[in-house]
Amino acid sequence: MMAVEEINNAPTLLPGLRLGYDLFDTCSEPVVAMKPSLVFMAKAGSRSIGAYCDYTQYQPRVLAVIGPHSSEVALVTGKFFSFFLMPQVSYGATTDRLSNRETFPSFFRTVPSDRVQATAMVELLRGLHWNWVAAVGSDDEYGRQGLGLFSSLANAKGICIAYEGLMPLPRAGGTRLGSVQSLLHQVNHSSVQVVVVFSSAQATYSLFSYSIRYRLSPKVWVASEAWLTSSLVMTLPGMDRVGTVLGFLHQGAEMPEFRSYVQTRLARAAEPAYCASLEAGRLGLEEHVVGPRCPQCDRASPENVTDGLLYHQTFAAYAAVYSVAHALHKALLCNSSGCPAQEPVRPWQLLDNMYNMSFHAYNRTLQFDTSGNVDLAYDLKLWVWRDRMPMLRTVGSFNGSLELQFSSMIWHTPGNQEPVSQCSRQCREGQVRRVKGFHSCCYDCVDCKAGSYQRHPDDALCSKCDQDQWSPDGSTRCFPRRPRFLAWGEPAVLGLLLLLGIVLGLVLVALGLFTWHRDSPLVQAAGGPRACFGLACLGLVCLSVLLFPGRPSTASCMGQQLLLHLPLTGCLSTLFLLAAEIFVGSELPPSWTDWLHSCLRGPWAWLVVLLAMLAEAALCSWYLAVFPPVVVTNWHALPTEALVHCRVSSWIMFGVVHATNAMLAFLCFLGTFLVQSRPGHYNSARGLTFAMLAYFITWVSYIPLFANVHVVSHPPVQMGTILFCVLGILTTFHLPKCYLLLWRPDLNTPEFFLGGGPSDARGQGGSGHGEETQGKNK
């Protein structure tokens, strides 16, 4: 009424024209609303609705309909008016179904859709970290669709609805809640602290009446717009004990003069003369169709009306009238001087001007979108109790994004602590959620294992690190792996280098003594120049361990095998020749001895050494050419580092390369193990036997040790094996002779080492070949 009077008195919007209106109460019942709807669609000047195939020239009694407020009623009237393309602008029907342009092509509203309100509720829950809630709706169109919208949006955002139910609408004589009673008791005894109530005011009244009567524990109640400002709910005795109530109200322009307008109209309505003048001006058409006027409306007073006249509600109705007026302004081609259009406006022509129309109402600019909705922001309101009646405090806003004013919020909890409504605690950093049960919000927190990490806070699975990265347990990031190899400065390497220095020093001392005493019977009995050559080869074997420390390369991996096996073959071949001499002199008939001795000495002996080394060189070349060791990076051997090492391509061929030296050592052992020697003479066979035993013990021990230690320890194990092999041969065969050269020179005689007198000093073998052999010395 106020908006129509303003438009009729305004000189610019519809100059020269006056708007009229009829007001009807729908009583929130679709059946009741259909009676005035038929009146609206009746042909002008008639009580009937004409049936035509084409309604483009049809002129109904009214051009547009404002209302109704109820979504339940608007769904019925919206389809009816849409058939006639009659513009209908609601100021309170918020159900999202009305946004369907195919079903409701002529429906508009000056309030946002419930989808926006449900989105704001979900963002509120997320902003306050509440993901374990209950949801209740009234069993009507508003509650069902609102609850369905909220549930789908909440699930999409990771909010779990622990309990959900519909409340039957209250009927005369009772406030039965049905299944919601058991739901309330489940919520009362659970960890759920937040209840979303998408309901009409009447159903909410029944809900809280039951909650107060049975003294249910206080909760946080997130209210829908339909009951947040309802005086019916606000004035319910005991409401101040239910907990915290907050919800969203769409924003509107404050209209301070509307309260005085209502008081003026009610004061005039109390005058009998005014009511008589209204009755005289009525045509009486409405009463014949919809029945007499409601008698209870006569008892309306400023005291029981103005409490519900909040600006956000009144502005929506005010803006609805102005939207129709602006559409008329366009359809009639109005300007400041008048409206020149002469033809009467049909409803469909008015409707065509309302699509995507922008209009002004009380200094605010609104615009209908393609679905007939307006874009209005929401205020977040909190009930703050003052003398048993709550006042609405603004504690936030929503306009596509949520803004909260935490300092303005008051909670029902001790110490004003923000309530917590979560099924499970927040996981710490480096933990992921392992869901238990049916709700994603109920979970156990599991630490990410080493090698994986938590990428996002809401991850359900740990993400694996790349192979060149690592992470500790419970990590939120990965770290690059450092390359790991046997470094020169490691304690194990320093210890092995010390051992190398000792062994190599002993080898050089022995080589120096053998070279200095090269013509002595002792050195001649040990092989002469071949013994010096064997010692030099042992020195090279020692030096091969220097290829193991440092970052591996292809050249160092291949050089390790060559520098180990070829010198070792040279040393063992000289020992093999010495073992063959001892065996020939001790075990074969005397007739063969001189001839075989001549073959095992001189140039022929060096030919055997050469052939053995050539055979070993051929095997090594084939092995390195066909199955070369490769430098690999093992990303999994170590937890935080990348192991760079030499990998053997074929263990069979690796064993074949070792077979030549093993065969030479085995022949030496066989040739000297049971050799007979004379008492009083040096037993060279015994030294060779123990030298070969040292060789075999070293390399046989190497196999299980190498197989069982971590791959990181393979290089130092190989280095130690090589050095102990050299040390074993040196201490069992060469160092005893060095002892005799230094401290027992009196024994360095042909008789003791060569087995005969001065006339037999040609050097025949350590054990002689006379018949005076008395026994065996091993």
Side-chain angles (χ1 to χ4, degrees):
M1 293 170 61
M2 176 179 169
V4 170
E5 290 181 13
E6 282 186 3
I7 294 168
N8 289 339
N9 295 327
T12 56
L13 189 57
L14 293 173
L17 295 178
R18 292 184 62 82
L19 296 178
Y21 57 85
D22 286 331
L23 293 178
F24 293 92
D25 186 1
T26 66
C27 301
S28 298
E29 291 290 342
V31 175
V32 177
M34 283 307 298
K35 294 180 181 180
S37 298
L38 293 171
V39 173
F40 295 157
M41 293 309 305
K43 193 172 183 179
S46 171
R47 297 183 179 184
S48 61
I49 299 176
Y52 303 103
C53 180
D54 183 3
Y55 281 90
T56 55
Q57 298 302 316
Y58 185 73
Q59 188 71 52
R61 185 180 179 198
V62 300
L63 287 178
V65 177
I66 306 298
H69 181 272
S70 166
S71 295
E72 192 104 13
V73 178
L75 287 171
V76 177
T77 60
K79 290 183 180 180
F80 177 71
F81 292 131
S82 292
F83 176 76
F84 296 97
L85 295 181
M86 167 75 71
Q88 178 183 6
V89 186
S90 173
Y91 50 87
T94 56
T95 178
D96 195 55
R97 287 174 56 188
L98 292 168
S99 298
N100 189 335
R101 269 287 174 251
E102 293 183 0
T103 308
F104 305 98
S106 67
F107 183 83
F108 299 85
R109 53 186 161 196
T110 52
V111 289
S113 161
D114 279 337
R115 179 174 293 275
V116 182
Q117 184 181 188
T119 302
M121 287 180 171
V122 171
E123 291 301 315
L124 173 65
L125 298 180
R126 293 183 67 200
L128 294 173
H129 307 291
W130 296 333
N131 63 1
W132 187 237
V133 301
V136 181
S138 54
D139 194 9
D140 56 9
E141 173 60 29
Y142 174 76
R144 285 191 298 270
Q145 68 88 34
L147 190 60
L149 268 176
F150 171 77
S151 297
S152 61
L153 292 172
N155 289 329
K157 295 296 185 178
I159 296 172
C160 299
I161 300 178
Y163 309 100
E164 184 175 351
L166 289 173
M167 295 180 294
L169 296 178
R171 296 290 183 259
T175 58
R176 187 174 57 87
L177 292 178
S179 61
V180 176
Q181 293 181 6
S182 61
L183 184 149
L184 286 175
H185 286 286
Q186 289 176 348
V187 171
N188 188 54
H189 294 93
S190 70
S191 60
V192 174
Q193 298 298 319
V194 178
V195 184
V196 177
V197 183
F198 222 111
S199 168
S200 62
Q202 293 80 8
T204 305
Y205 178 88
S206 301
L207 174 72
F208 283 115
S209 296
Y210 182 87
S211 177
I212 294 169
R213 183 185 316 132
Y214 289 96
R215 299 180 181 275
L216 301 184
S217 58
K219 302 289 181 183
V220 176
W221 304 90
V222 179
S224 65
E225 198 169 15
W227 67 270
L228 181 63
T229 59
S230 169
S231 59
L232 178 67
V233 180
M234 284 181 166
T235 57
L236 178 65
M239 273 300 291
D240 55 333
R241 300 192 302 269
V242 301
T244 303
V245 179
L246 71 167
F248 289 94
L249 287 180
H250 65 267
Q251 295 176 353
E254 294 192 31
M255 303 168 61
E257 64 270 25
F258 181 62
R259 185 176 297 272
S260 61
Y261 177 83
V262 171
Q263 293 174 347
T264 301
R265 297 293 295 189
L266 289 176
R268 292 177 63 186
E271 300 175 3
Y274 176 73
C275 293
S277 65
L278 290 179
E279 294 292 338
R282 286 182 177 272
L283 299 176
L285 175 63
E286 292 79 4
E287 289 189 4
H288 291 287
V289 177
V290 299
R293 183 163 54 96
C294 298
Q296 57 265 35
C297 296
D298 292 337
R299 295 193 294 269
S301 65
E303 289 75 20
N304 58 23
V305 172
T306 54
D307 286 342
L309 300 179
L310 298 176
Y311 70 87
H312 74 281
Q313 295 174 332
T314 55
F315 175 75
Y318 180 87
V321 176
Y322 267 86
S323 68
V324 175
H326 279 83
L328 277 171
H329 180 88
K330 290 184 178 181
L332 295 172
L333 305 175
C334 296
N335 52 41
S336 58
S337 59
C339 300
Q342 300 296 322
E343 293 292 329
V345 178
R346 306 296 194 278
W348 65 268
Q349 294 173 314
L350 190 65
L351 178 65
D352 188 55
N353 284 279
M354 294 183 70
Y355 285 128
N356 299 315
M357 181 184 70
S358 178
F359 60 96
H360 298 279
Y362 212 88
N363 299 323
R364 290 202 63 171
T365 301
L366 303 177
Q367 182 175 4
F368 291 126
D369 60 18
T370 54
S371 299
N373 303 319
V374 294
D375 184 16
L376 281 177
Y378 278 95
D379 285 330
L380 178 61
K381 299 290 187 178
L382 175 72
W383 282 14
V384 180
W385 291 91
R386 295 288 186 272
D387 298 328
R388 297 188 177 275
M389 183 66 184
M391 59 170 287
L392 297 178
R393 175 187 292 179
T394 301
V395 293
S397 63
F398 179 81
N399 190 11
S401 61
L402 180 68
E403 294 183 3
L404 296 175
Q405 301 170 12
F406 291 99
S407 59
S408 302
M409 293 184 177
I410 299 176
W411 306 106
H412 64 276
T413 54
N416 197 32
Q417 293 295 317
E418 180 183 321
V420 176
S421 189
Q422 296 176 344
C423 182
S424 301
R425 66 173 178 84
Q426 288 290 328
C427 292
R428 299 191 304 271
E429 288 189 349
Q431 292 183 328
V432 293
R433 301 173 178 177
R434 184 172 61 192
V435 177
K436 55 182 180 181
F438 300 101
H439 294 286
S440 61
C441 301
C442 300
Y443 50 82
D444 293 323
C445 294
V446 181
D447 287 332
C448 287
K449 300 298 182 184
S452 62
Y453 69 104
Q454 177 200 30
R455 179 175 295 175
H456 300 296
D458 296 329
D459 283 350
L461 294 173
C462 298
S463 302
K464 285 191 172 297
C465 295
D466 295 336
Q467 68 172 2
D468 59 343
Q469 296 177 323
W470 72 278
S471 67
D473 289 336
S475 179
T476 58
R477 55 170 294 195
C478 293
F479 304 91
R481 289 180 179 269
R482 293 184 294 106
R484 169 70 183 275
F485 46 84
L486 189 63
W488 286 98
E490 292 185 23
V493 174
L494 295 178
L496 288 169
L497 290 178
L498 178 61
L499 180 62
L500 168 64
I502 295 172
V503 176
L504 188 59
L506 293 175
V507 170
L508 293 177
V509 169
L511 179 59
L513 286 174
F514 273 52
T515 304
W516 182 262
H517 298 280
R518 59 184 175 276
D519 295 327
S520 67
L522 185 150
V523 176
Q524 290 298 318
R530 296 196 308 275
C532 296
F533 178 76
L535 282 169
C537 289
L538 284 180
L540 291 177
V541 173
C542 289
L543 294 177
S544 69
V545 301
L546 296 177
L547 294 176
F548 287 91
R551 189 182 186 104
S553 63
T554 302
S556 65
C557 291
M558 298 176 73
Q560 291 169 6
Q561 306 305 320
L562 281 175
L563 196 56
L564 167 63
H565 293 290
L566 283 180
L568 189 56
T569 301
C571 175
L572 292 176
S573 62
T574 61
L575 298 179
F576 165 73
L577 289 172
L578 183 58
E581 285 189 46
I582 296 172
F583 180 79
V584 167
S586 174
E587 304 297 331
L588 294 184
S591 58
W592 293 8
T593 303
D594 291 337
W595 178 75
L596 288 174
H597 272 197
S598 63
C599 292
L600 295 173
R601 299 180 181 223
W604 292 103
W606 288 107
L607 180 61
V608 172
V609 174
L610 179 61
L611 290 176
M613 295 186 69
L614 286 176
E616 183 65 18
L619 279 175
C620 287
S621 299
W622 183 50
Y623 167 66
L624 296 177
V626 181
F627 306 101
V630 293
V631 180
V632 295
T633 301
N634 191 331
W635 303 104
H636 308 291
L638 298 172
T640 63
E641 298 169 310
L643 180 62
V644 183
H645 65 104
C646 300
R647 187 181 68 189
V648 176
S649 300
S650 171
W651 286 105
I652 295 177
M653 286 309 304
F654 184 78
V656 170
V657 171
H658 274 276
T660 301
N661 293 329
M663 183 180 66
L664 287 174
F666 184 67
L667 291 176
C668 286
F669 181 78
L670 286 182
T672 58
F673 181 60
L674 296 176
V675 168
Q676 298 176 352
S677 60
R678 291 180 298 169
H681 297 277
Y682 184 76
N683 190 353
S684 295
R686 182 170 55 189
L688 283 173
T689 300
F690 282 110
M692 295 307 103
L693 280 175
Y695 173 87
F696 283 119
I697 290 172
T698 303
W699 287 105
V700 170
S701 301
Y702 163 77
I703 294 173
L705 184 62
F706 186 86
N708 288 284
V709 300
H710 196 276
V711 65
V712 177
S713 302
H714 284 178
V717 167
Q718 288 179 281
M719 293 174 65
T721 302
I722 293 169
L723 293 177
F724 279 110
C725 176
V726 174
L727 186 61
I729 295 174
L730 193 65
T731 55
T732 56
F733 183 76
H734 295 92
L735 292 186
K737 295 176 175 57
C738 294
Y739 170 78
L740 294 177
L741 286 174
L742 292 174
W743 287 283
R744 295 299 301 274
D746 57 299
L747 296 179
N748 192 3
T749 62
E751 292 80 6
F752 188 71
F753 284 100
L754 300 178
S759 62
D760 196 27
R762 53 192 177 91
Q764 294 179 1
S767 52
H769 54 275
E771 61 276 351
E772 61 269 302
T773 301
Q774 300 291 324
K776 296 179 181 177
N777 258 332
K778 299 194 278 283

